[in-house]
Amino acid sequence: MTIKSMLVAMALLTLGNLSLQAQQNQTIFKSNGIRKSGGYGAITNKFTRINGQFANINEVYGGWYINRSFLIGVAGGATTNRIAVPDANKIWDGERMTYQYGQFGLMTEYVVGSTKKVHFTVNLITGAGFILQYDRGDYDHWEDYDSRNPNFFFLMEPGAQVELNLTNWMRFSPGVSYRRAFGSNSKGLSDEDLSGISANITLKFGRF
């Protein structure tokens, strides 16, 4: 083989390797990596019903906001008003027995069209809920509990919001959600008694 033919063969081999390197796998889901990273926190007030009675839930959540579209973080909230315990369900004889409801867990939120003045979001809380009883007029009984007080259970709450960009760092998001309890064992309360639709008002603060 002459030097000229060797050079031609090497050139063809190099071009072939470059062509193979330029060819990429075709995939259904394309990933462009993390282009923008931020974060925000939110304060939410939820209006709902527990065991057929009005319940006001204050909640906070926040986390890492990726590519102006996806939040992953944590959430937690609890009721603030009195939810009277029926006499048949009381675990002790207090004058102002009330239910205390709470929930906490993983929060994921997907934002559609984040840069627009008005856009939409969908979210999901996955975690645990709890329900306990206490005498609202006698806080000394906080430690008087049995195996049903507090009672923990699995919880999922999907929701949707209309979101308004008030400023570059603050957003207002009214919406609705549906709370679903699984495996409650509280006296006189079924999963259906603890589940329900909520009307929500949310303020978000952070780097969007």
Side-chain angles (χ1 to χ4, degrees):
M1 181 180 289
T2 64
I3 295 177
K4 182 178 180 180
S5 61
M6 290 178 62
L7 290 173
V8 171
M10 291 176 63
L12 291 173
L13 183 62
T14 301
L15 289 172
N17 287 336
L18 289 174
S19 178
L20 288 174
Q21 290 176 8
Q23 209 169 22
Q24 296 181 353
N25 290 329
Q26 295 182 354
T27 60
I28 296 174
F29 301 103
K30 294 183 179 180
S31 175
N32 296 321
I34 298 175
R35 302 181 303 278
K36 183 176 177 62
S37 180
Y40 61 84
I43 303 171
T44 299
N45 200 87
K46 296 182 175 180
F47 309 97
T48 186
R49 299 183 75 83
I50 293 176
N51 197 30
Q53 302 181 64
F54 171 76
N56 187 83
I57 298 177
N58 283 347
E59 187 172 73
V60 295
Y61 70 87
W64 182 28
Y65 189 43
I66 306 167
N67 292 341
R68 286 181 169 170
S69 61
F70 184 70
L71 174 91
I72 182 168
V74 294
T79 52
T80 59
N81 64 303
R82 185 190 178 203
I83 306 170
V85 180
D87 290 340
N89 295 350
K90 291 181 179 179
I91 58 175
W92 72 78
D93 189 22
E95 292 184 3
R96 289 174 54 81
M97 293 296 290
T98 183
Y99 288 116
Q100 175 71 58
Y101 172 86
Q103 61 185 49
F104 55 90
L106 174 70
M107 165 62 88
T108 52
E109 186 162 76
Y110 185 74
V111 184
V112 181
S114 177
T115 58
K116 295 181 179 180
K117 292 179 181 179
V118 181
H119 51 273
F120 298 93
T121 73
V122 291
N123 52 44
L124 175 67
I125 299 174
T126 307
F130 68 87
I131 190 82
L132 59 82
Q133 297 183 26
Y134 73 97
D135 189 335
R136 201 169 175 89
D138 186 358
Y139 292 92
D140 292 338
H141 281 96
W142 270 101
E143 296 181 356
D144 292 348
Y145 61 89
D146 58 20
S147 60
R148 295 163 297 187
N149 189 48
N151 168 240
F152 288 87
F153 47 87
F154 180 68
L155 175 92
M156 294 185 72
E157 185 174 4
Q161 299 172 336
V162 177
E163 190 161 271
L164 291 78
N165 294 351
L166 301 181
T167 69
N168 289 331
W169 51 269
M170 182 171 64
R171 297 182 173 186
F172 174 65
S173 306
V176 295
S177 60
Y178 179 72
R179 180 185 67 259
R180 178 62 185 176
F182 300 90
S184 168
N185 193 34
S186 182
K187 183 178 181 181
L189 292 179
S190 65
D191 290 347
E192 287 70 25
D193 294 327
L194 296 171
S195 303
I197 296 174
S198 298
N200 312 326
I201 298 176
T202 303
L203 279 174
K204 301 176 183 179
F205 307 89
R207 182 181 176 186
F208 301 98

